[in-house]
Amino acid sequence: MRRAVALLTLMATTGVVGTAVAQRVEQASDWRLAATADDRVRLRSWRSAWVKGIAQARQGGFASDVAALGALADPDHSIAEPGLPDGEYRCRTIKLGTQGRAVLTYVAYPFFRCRVSDSGASLTKLDGSQRLTGRIFADTDARSIFLGTMILGDEESSYPYGRDRARNMAGVVERIDAKRWRIAFPFPAYESVVDILELLPAGG
């Protein structure tokens, strides 16, 4: 047993585990086979994270900001066919709630640029100090699942998914209007209780 634990520790330290998970993401047809155990737990608790985040934002004095989000902040609002067409998007992140390491319980960032490619299977945020890149998996007729990683600052490439828990990103993709989508990231590694990424086609 000690040898097995030591081997797993060595593999994690050298990035072998992360590489294996990254390969599994590329090859898997089902997100459940690709996601890490931690991310499967996070995705199962997406709604409770959302409700908690909204409650904290309201209690923190941002009730009017939450109300102004309308359907974007309603965890029970979505329409069928969540797939994102390939193309350029305007995207922004809204952070709700706090895990105790942030003062504000509501933060809305400006719009940046995102791109969907590979017949709706790949999503990349192109600018900003925190960027994401990853794969979108079909799930049900009402939602898809995003698995990816975060790129920080002036980094030119991403960590493989699964290599660094703090960089892993797992979210629920939903369409909330004819040309409006969101991805809810429950219990991200930093700051908030839930992050919502809004996506709008760049061409309007």
Side-chain angles (χ1 to χ4, degrees), residues 68-99:
L69 296 175
L72 184 64
D74 182 354
D76 299 318
H77 178 86
S78 65
I79 62 178
E81 300 181 4
L84 282 149
D86 284 1
E88 304 290 316
Y89 288 79
R90 295 187 300 125
C91 55
R92 65 168 177 158
T93 298
I94 294 128
K95 293 178 173 288
L96 298 170
T98 176
Q99 297 184 44

PDB file of all heavy atoms in Angstrom, residues 68-99:
ATOM      1  N   ALA A  68     -31.228  42.763 -11.451  1.00  0.00           N
ATOM      2  CA  ALA A  68     -30.993  43.287 -12.797  1.00  0.00           C
ATOM      3  C   ALA A  68     -30.466  42.215 -13.751  1.00  0.00           C
ATOM      4  O   ALA A  68     -30.598  42.359 -14.971  1.00  0.00           O
ATOM      5  CB  ALA A  68     -30.000  44.448 -12.736  1.00  0.00           C
ATOM      6  N   LEU A  69     -29.911  41.134 -13.233  1.00  0.00           N
ATOM      7  CA  LEU A  69     -29.420  40.053 -14.080  1.00  0.00           C
ATOM      8  C   LEU A  69     -30.560  39.261 -14.720  1.00  0.00           C
ATOM      9  O   LEU A  69     -30.366  38.589 -15.739  1.00  0.00           O
ATOM     10  CB  LEU A  69     -28.528  39.105 -13.276  1.00  0.00           C
ATOM     11  CG  LEU A  69     -27.231  39.690 -12.711  1.00  0.00           C
ATOM     12  CD1 LEU A  69     -26.531  38.653 -11.841  1.00  0.00           C
ATOM     13  CD2 LEU A  69     -26.314  40.180 -13.820  1.00  0.00           C
ATOM     14  N   GLY A  70     -31.734  39.323 -14.114  1.00  0.00           N
ATOM     15  CA  GLY A  70     -32.891  38.636 -14.669  1.00  0.00           C
ATOM     16  C   GLY A  70     -32.669  37.140 -14.795  1.00  0.00           C
ATOM     17  O   GLY A  70     -32.186  36.471 -13.871  1.00  0.00           O
ATOM     18  N   ALA A  71     -32.989  36.597 -15.980  1.00  0.00           N
ATOM     19  CA  ALA A  71     -32.903  35.148 -16.211  1.00  0.00           C
ATOM     20  C   ALA A  71     -31.486  34.616 -16.063  1.00  0.00           C
ATOM     21  O   ALA A  71     -31.284  33.442 -15.749  1.00  0.00           O
ATOM     22  CB  ALA A  71     -33.437  34.825 -17.604  1.00  0.00           C
ATOM     23  N   LEU A  72     -30.497  35.482 -16.264  1.00  0.00           N
ATOM     24  CA  LEU A  72     -29.107  35.037 -16.150  1.00  0.00           C
ATOM     25  C   LEU A  72     -28.806  34.472 -14.775  1.00  0.00           C
ATOM     26  O   LEU A  72     -28.001  33.544 -14.633  1.00  0.00           O
ATOM     27  CB  LEU A  72     -28.172  36.207 -16.460  1.00  0.00           C
ATOM     28  CG  LEU A  72     -26.673  35.909 -16.479  1.00  0.00           C
ATOM     29  CD1 LEU A  72     -26.326  34.936 -17.599  1.00  0.00           C
ATOM     30  CD2 LEU A  72     -25.873  37.197 -16.621  1.00  0.00           C
ATOM     31  N   ALA A  73     -29.448  35.016 -13.750  1.00  0.00           N
ATOM     32  CA  ALA A  73     -29.188  34.595 -12.370  1.00  0.00           C
ATOM     33  C   ALA A  73     -30.230  33.630 -11.831  1.00  0.00           C
ATOM     34  O   ALA A  73     -30.210  33.302 -10.656  1.00  0.00           O
ATOM     35  CB  ALA A  73     -29.112  35.818 -11.464  1.00  0.00           C
ATOM     36  N   ASP A  74     -31.121  33.153 -12.674  1.00  0.00           N
ATOM     37  CA  ASP A  74     -32.171  32.221 -12.249  1.00  0.00           C
ATOM     38  C   ASP A  74     -31.718  30.796 -12.541  1.00  0.00           C
ATOM     39  O   ASP A  74     -31.654  30.381 -13.699  1.00  0.00           O
ATOM     40  CB  ASP A  74     -33.472  32.521 -12.999  1.00  0.00           C
ATOM     41  CG  ASP A  74     -34.619  31.610 -12.577  1.00  0.00           C
ATOM     42  OD1 ASP A  74     -34.384  30.668 -11.784  1.00  0.00           O
ATOM     43  OD2 ASP A  74     -35.744  31.834 -13.049  1.00  0.00           O
ATOM     44  N   PRO A  75     -31.385  30.011 -11.515  1.00  0.00           N
ATOM     45  CA  PRO A  75     -30.864  28.664 -11.761  1.00  0.00           C
ATOM     46  C   PRO A  75     -31.871  27.730 -12.407  1.00  0.00           C
ATOM     47  O   PRO A  75     -31.489  26.692 -12.955  1.00  0.00           O
ATOM     48  CB  PRO A  75     -30.482  28.172 -10.354  1.00  0.00           C
ATOM     49  CG  PRO A  75     -31.351  28.966  -9.430  1.00  0.00           C
ATOM     50  CD  PRO A  75     -31.496  30.312 -10.073  1.00  0.00           C
ATOM     51  N   ASP A  76     -33.145  28.073 -12.353  1.00  0.00           N
ATOM     52  CA  ASP A  76     -34.181  27.201 -12.900  1.00  0.00           C
ATOM     53  C   ASP A  76     -34.648  27.621 -14.294  1.00  0.00           C
ATOM     54  O   ASP A  76     -35.575  27.028 -14.841  1.00  0.00           O
ATOM     55  CB  ASP A  76     -35.384  27.164 -11.951  1.00  0.00           C
ATOM     56  CG  ASP A  76     -35.009  26.617 -10.587  1.00  0.00           C
ATOM     57  OD1 ASP A  76     -34.252  25.628 -10.547  1.00  0.00           O
ATOM     58  OD2 ASP A  76     -35.443  27.184  -9.570  1.00  0.00           O
ATOM     59  N   HIS A  77     -33.999  28.633 -14.857  1.00  0.00           N
ATOM     60  CA  HIS A  77     -34.399  29.098 -16.189  1.00  0.00           C
ATOM     61  C   HIS A  77     -33.409  28.622 -17.238  1.00  0.00           C
ATOM     62  O   HIS A  77     -32.225  28.942 -17.194  1.00  0.00           O
ATOM     63  CB  HIS A  77     -34.476  30.623 -16.231  1.00  0.00           C
ATOM     64  CG  HIS A  77     -34.832  31.141 -17.596  1.00  0.00           C
ATOM     65  ND1 HIS A  77     -36.142  31.264 -18.017  1.00  0.00           N
ATOM     66  CD2 HIS A  77     -34.060  31.539 -18.643  1.00  0.00           C
ATOM     67  CE1 HIS A  77     -36.152  31.721 -19.262  1.00  0.00           C
ATOM     68  NE2 HIS A  77     -34.905  31.899 -19.660  1.00  0.00           N
ATOM     69  N   SER A  78     -33.885  27.837 -18.172  1.00  0.00           N
ATOM     70  CA  SER A  78     -33.089  27.438 -19.328  1.00  0.00           C
ATOM     71  C   SER A  78     -34.044  26.960 -20.408  1.00  0.00           C
ATOM     72  O   SER A  78     -35.200  26.644 -20.135  1.00  0.00           O
ATOM     73  CB  SER A  78     -32.092  26.326 -18.968  1.00  0.00           C
ATOM     74  OG  SER A  78     -32.778  25.132 -18.600  1.00  0.00           O
ATOM     75  N   ILE A  79     -33.567  26.942 -21.646  1.00  0.00           N
ATOM     76  CA  ILE A  79     -34.362  26.422 -22.745  1.00  0.00           C
ATOM     77  C   ILE A  79     -33.596  25.296 -23.417  1.00  0.00           C
ATOM     78  O   ILE A  79     -32.406  25.092 -23.156  1.00  0.00           O
ATOM     79  CB  ILE A  79     -34.723  27.537 -23.759  1.00  0.00           C
ATOM     80  CG1 ILE A  79     -33.456  28.125 -24.389  1.00  0.00           C
ATOM     81  CG2 ILE A  79     -35.528  28.637 -23.077  1.00  0.00           C
ATOM     82  CD1 ILE A  79     -33.748  29.183 -25.437  1.00  0.00           C
ATOM     83  N   ALA A  80     -34.264  24.574 -24.257  1.00  0.00           N
ATOM     84  CA  ALA A  80     -33.676  23.381 -24.866  1.00  0.00           C
ATOM     85  C   ALA A  80     -32.551  23.741 -25.841  1.00  0.00           C
ATOM     86  O   ALA A  80     -32.373  24.900 -26.199  1.00  0.00           O
ATOM     87  CB  ALA A  80     -34.765  22.577 -25.580  1.00  0.00           C
ATOM     88  N   GLU A  81     -31.818  22.708 -26.237  1.00  0.00           N
ATOM     89  CA  GLU A  81     -30.719  22.805 -27.197  1.00  0.00           C
ATOM     90  C   GLU A  81     -29.633  23.763 -26.714  1.00  0.00           C
ATOM     91  O   GLU A  81     -29.465  24.869 -27.224  1.00  0.00           O
ATOM     92  CB  GLU A  81     -31.245  23.236 -28.567  1.00  0.00           C
ATOM     93  CG  GLU A  81     -32.255  22.262 -29.143  1.00  0.00           C
ATOM     94  CD  GLU A  81     -32.753  22.690 -30.523  1.00  0.00           C
ATOM     95  OE1 GLU A  81     -32.251  23.711 -31.047  1.00  0.00           O
ATOM     96  OE2 GLU A  81     -33.631  22.012 -31.064  1.00  0.00           O
ATOM     97  N   PRO A  82     -28.855  23.328 -25.723  1.00  0.00           N
ATOM     98  CA  PRO A  82     -27.852  24.205 -25.116  1.00  0.00           C
ATOM     99  C   PRO A  82     -26.588  24.403 -25.942  1.00  0.00           C
ATOM    100  O   PRO A  82     -25.728  25.196 -25.564  1.00  0.00           O
ATOM    101  CB  PRO A  82     -27.521  23.481 -23.808  1.00  0.00           C
ATOM    102  CG  PRO A  82     -27.740  22.027 -24.141  1.00  0.00           C
ATOM    103  CD  PRO A  82     -28.922  22.014 -25.069  1.00  0.00           C
ATOM    104  N   GLY A  83     -26.462  23.685 -27.064  1.00  0.00           N
ATOM    105  CA  GLY A  83     -25.232  23.744 -27.837  1.00  0.00           C
ATOM    106  C   GLY A  83     -24.887  25.137 -28.324  1.00  0.00           C
ATOM    107  O   GLY A  83     -25.742  25.907 -28.758  1.00  0.00           O
ATOM    108  N   LEU A  84     -23.600  25.476 -28.258  1.00  0.00           N
ATOM    109  CA  LEU A  84     -23.098  26.775 -28.706  1.00  0.00           C
ATOM    110  C   LEU A  84     -22.583  26.658 -30.138  1.00  0.00           C
ATOM    111  O   LEU A  84     -21.694  25.850 -30.416  1.00  0.00           O
ATOM    112  CB  LEU A  84     -21.956  27.231 -27.799  1.00  0.00           C
ATOM    113  CG  LEU A  84     -22.347  27.805 -26.438  1.00  0.00           C
ATOM    114  CD1 LEU A  84     -21.274  27.512 -25.403  1.00  0.00           C
ATOM    115  CD2 LEU A  84     -22.556  29.303 -26.560  1.00  0.00           C
ATOM    116  N   PRO A  85     -23.099  27.462 -31.070  1.00  0.00           N
ATOM    117  CA  PRO A  85     -22.565  27.446 -32.432  1.00  0.00           C
ATOM    118  C   PRO A  85     -21.127  27.974 -32.456  1.00  0.00           C
ATOM    119  O   PRO A  85     -20.744  28.812 -31.634  1.00  0.00           O
ATOM    120  CB  PRO A  85     -23.511  28.388 -33.200  1.00  0.00           C
ATOM    121  CG  PRO A  85     -24.727  28.501 -32.338  1.00  0.00           C
ATOM    122  CD  PRO A  85     -24.253  28.347 -30.934  1.00  0.00           C
ATOM    123  N   ASP A  86     -20.327  27.509 -33.391  1.00  0.00           N
ATOM    124  CA  ASP A  86     -18.973  28.023 -33.552  1.00  0.00           C
ATOM    125  C   ASP A  86     -19.006  29.514 -33.859  1.00  0.00           C
ATOM    126  O   ASP A  86     -19.922  30.013 -34.532  1.00  0.00           O
ATOM    127  CB  ASP A  86     -18.264  27.300 -34.699  1.00  0.00           C
ATOM    128  CG  ASP A  86     -17.824  25.901 -34.313  1.00  0.00           C
ATOM    129  OD1 ASP A  86     -18.084  25.487 -33.173  1.00  0.00           O
ATOM    130  OD2 ASP A  86     -17.226  25.218 -35.172  1.00  0.00           O
ATOM    131  N   GLY A  87     -18.006  30.235 -33.368  1.00  0.00           N
ATOM    132  CA  GLY A  87     -17.906  31.651 -33.669  1.00  0.00           C
ATOM    133  C   GLY A  87     -17.331  32.449 -32.524  1.00  0.00           C
ATOM    134  O   GLY A  87     -16.906  31.914 -31.497  1.00  0.00           O
ATOM    135  N   GLU A  88     -17.318  33.777 -32.705  1.00  0.00           N
ATOM    136  CA  GLU A  88     -16.820  34.711 -31.703  1.00  0.00           C
ATOM    137  C   GLU A  88     -17.962  35.149 -30.785  1.00  0.00           C
ATOM    138  O   GLU A  88     -19.092  35.365 -31.244  1.00  0.00           O
ATOM    139  CB  GLU A  88     -16.217  35.933 -32.383  1.00  0.00           C
ATOM    140  CG  GLU A  88     -15.115  35.621 -33.378  1.00  0.00           C
ATOM    141  CD  GLU A  88     -13.846  35.127 -32.709  1.00  0.00           C
ATOM    142  OE1 GLU A  88     -13.447  35.726 -31.686  1.00  0.00           O
ATOM    143  OE2 GLU A  88     -13.261  34.139 -33.193  1.00  0.00           O
ATOM    144  N   TYR A  89     -17.645  35.316 -29.505  1.00  0.00           N
ATOM    145  CA  TYR A  89     -18.646  35.700 -28.506  1.00  0.00           C
ATOM    146  C   TYR A  89     -18.109  36.830 -27.631  1.00  0.00           C
ATOM    147  O   TYR A  89     -16.893  36.977 -27.445  1.00  0.00           O
ATOM    148  CB  TYR A  89     -18.992  34.509 -27.607  1.00  0.00           C
ATOM    149  CG  TYR A  89     -19.815  33.448 -28.285  1.00  0.00           C
ATOM    150  CD1 TYR A  89     -19.216  32.521 -29.139  1.00  0.00           C
ATOM    151  CD2 TYR A  89     -21.193  33.362 -28.089  1.00  0.00           C
ATOM    152  CE1 TYR A  89     -19.970  31.545 -29.785  1.00  0.00           C
ATOM    153  CE2 TYR A  89     -21.945  32.394 -28.718  1.00  0.00           C
ATOM    154  CZ  TYR A  89     -21.339  31.487 -29.564  1.00  0.00           C
ATOM    155  OH  TYR A  89     -22.085  30.533 -30.202  1.00  0.00           O
ATOM    156  N   ARG A  90     -19.041  37.616 -27.094  1.00  0.00           N
ATOM    157  CA  ARG A  90     -18.738  38.510 -25.985  1.00  0.00           C
ATOM    158  C   ARG A  90     -19.059  37.745 -24.710  1.00  0.00           C
ATOM    159  O   ARG A  90     -20.128  37.139 -24.600  1.00  0.00           O
ATOM    160  CB  ARG A  90     -19.574  39.786 -26.061  1.00  0.00           C
ATOM    161  CG  ARG A  90     -19.274  40.654 -27.270  1.00  0.00           C
ATOM    162  CD  ARG A  90     -20.017  41.984 -27.207  1.00  0.00           C
ATOM    163  NE  ARG A  90     -21.455  41.803 -27.164  1.00  0.00           N
ATOM    164  CZ  ARG A  90     -22.257  42.304 -26.224  1.00  0.00           C
ATOM    165  NH1 ARG A  90     -21.756  42.989 -25.205  1.00  0.00           N
ATOM    166  NH2 ARG A  90     -23.557  42.112 -26.273  1.00  0.00           N
ATOM    167  N   CYS A  91     -18.149  37.747 -23.753  1.00  0.00           N
ATOM    168  CA  CYS A  91     -18.371  36.965 -22.536  1.00  0.00           C
ATOM    169  C   CYS A  91     -17.939  37.776 -21.318  1.00  0.00           C
ATOM    170  O   CYS A  91     -16.982  38.539 -21.361  1.00  0.00           O
ATOM    171  CB  CYS A  91     -17.609  35.637 -22.603  1.00  0.00           C
ATOM    172  SG  CYS A  91     -15.842  35.798 -22.932  1.00  0.00           S
ATOM    173  N   ARG A  92     -18.675  37.613 -20.248  1.00  0.00           N
ATOM    174  CA  ARG A  92     -18.328  38.281 -18.996  1.00  0.00           C
ATOM    175  C   ARG A  92     -18.605  37.341 -17.835  1.00  0.00           C
ATOM    176  O   ARG A  92     -19.469  36.453 -17.904  1.00  0.00           O
ATOM    177  CB  ARG A  92     -19.111  39.574 -18.814  1.00  0.00           C
ATOM    178  CG  ARG A  92     -20.618  39.380 -18.657  1.00  0.00           C
ATOM    179  CD  ARG A  92     -21.302  40.657 -18.182  1.00  0.00           C
ATOM    180  NE  ARG A  92     -22.747  40.492 -18.088  1.00  0.00           N
ATOM    181  CZ  ARG A  92     -23.525  41.257 -17.328  1.00  0.00           C
ATOM    182  NH1 ARG A  92     -23.005  42.229 -16.601  1.00  0.00           N
ATOM    183  NH2 ARG A  92     -24.834  41.058 -17.291  1.00  0.00           N
ATOM    184  N   THR A  93     -17.878  37.561 -16.749  1.00  0.00           N
ATOM    185  CA  THR A  93     -18.011  36.732 -15.554  1.00  0.00           C
ATOM    186  C   THR A  93     -18.652  37.531 -14.433  1.00  0.00           C
ATOM    187  O   THR A  93     -18.276  38.677 -14.181  1.00  0.00           O
ATOM    188  CB  THR A  93     -16.640  36.209 -15.090  1.00  0.00           C
ATOM    189  OG1 THR A  93     -16.080  35.385 -16.115  1.00  0.00           O
ATOM    190  CG2 THR A  93     -16.778  35.390 -13.807  1.00  0.00           C
ATOM    191  N   ILE A  94     -19.613  36.897 -13.765  1.00  0.00           N
ATOM    192  CA  ILE A  94     -20.247  37.466 -12.571  1.00  0.00           C
ATOM    193  C   ILE A  94     -19.984  36.517 -11.413  1.00  0.00           C
ATOM    194  O   ILE A  94     -20.260  35.322 -11.520  1.00  0.00           O
ATOM    195  CB  ILE A  94     -21.757  37.662 -12.770  1.00  0.00           C
ATOM    196  CG1 ILE A  94     -22.007  38.728 -13.846  1.00  0.00           C
ATOM    197  CG2 ILE A  94     -22.435  38.084 -11.488  1.00  0.00           C
ATOM    198  CD1 ILE A  94     -22.925  38.296 -14.911  1.00  0.00           C
ATOM    199  N   LYS A  95     -19.437  37.050 -10.335  1.00  0.00           N
ATOM    200  CA  LYS A  95     -19.117  36.236  -9.164  1.00  0.00           C
ATOM    201  C   LYS A  95     -20.156  36.495  -8.078  1.00  0.00           C
ATOM    202  O   LYS A  95     -20.420  37.653  -7.735  1.00  0.00           O
ATOM    203  CB  LYS A  95     -17.717  36.568  -8.643  1.00  0.00           C
ATOM    204  CG  LYS A  95     -16.592  36.159  -9.596  1.00  0.00           C
ATOM    205  CD  LYS A  95     -15.248  36.558  -9.032  1.00  0.00           C
ATOM    206  CE  LYS A  95     -14.120  36.012  -9.889  1.00  0.00           C
ATOM    207  NZ  LYS A  95     -13.969  34.548  -9.751  1.00  0.00           N
ATOM    208  N   LEU A  96     -20.720  35.425  -7.549  1.00  0.00           N
ATOM    209  CA  LEU A  96     -21.750  35.522  -6.512  1.00  0.00           C
ATOM    210  C   LEU A  96     -21.283  34.812  -5.243  1.00  0.00           C
ATOM    211  O   LEU A  96     -20.809  33.675  -5.290  1.00  0.00           O
ATOM    212  CB  LEU A  96     -23.052  34.883  -6.993  1.00  0.00           C
ATOM    213  CG  LEU A  96     -23.726  35.520  -8.221  1.00  0.00           C
ATOM    214  CD1 LEU A  96     -24.863  34.636  -8.705  1.00  0.00           C
ATOM    215  CD2 LEU A  96     -24.239  36.910  -7.884  1.00  0.00           C
ATOM    216  N   GLY A  97     -21.454  35.490  -4.111  1.00  0.00           N
ATOM    217  CA  GLY A  97     -21.099  34.887  -2.828  1.00  0.00           C
ATOM    218  C   GLY A  97     -19.610  34.950  -2.561  1.00  0.00           C
ATOM    219  O   GLY A  97     -18.810  35.423  -3.369  1.00  0.00           O
ATOM    220  N   THR A  98     -19.235  34.483  -1.389  1.00  0.00           N
ATOM    221  CA  THR A  98     -17.824  34.458  -1.004  1.00  0.00           C
ATOM    222  C   THR A  98     -17.526  33.202  -0.197  1.00  0.00           C
ATOM    223  O   THR A  98     -18.367  32.752   0.596  1.00  0.00           O
ATOM    224  CB  THR A  98     -17.441  35.711  -0.197  1.00  0.00           C
ATOM    225  OG1 THR A  98     -16.079  35.595   0.239  1.00  0.00           O
ATOM    226  CG2 THR A  98     -18.333  35.885   1.032  1.00  0.00           C
ATOM    227  N   GLN A  99     -16.337  32.660  -0.404  1.00  0.00           N
ATOM    228  CA  GLN A  99     -15.888  31.510   0.380  1.00  0.00           C
ATOM    229  C   GLN A  99     -15.079  31.946   1.596  1.00  0.00           C
ATOM    230  O   GLN A  99     -14.432  31.119   2.237  1.00  0.00           O
ATOM    231  CB  GLN A  99     -15.037  30.583  -0.509  1.00  0.00           C
ATOM    232  CG  GLN A  99     -15.796  29.978  -1.671  1.00  0.00           C
ATOM    233  CD  GLN A  99     -14.954  29.004  -2.462  1.00  0.00           C
ATOM    234  OE1 GLN A  99     -14.246  28.163  -1.900  1.00  0.00           O
ATOM    235  NE2 GLN A  99     -15.025  29.083  -3.776  1.00  0.00           N
TER     236      GLN A  99
END
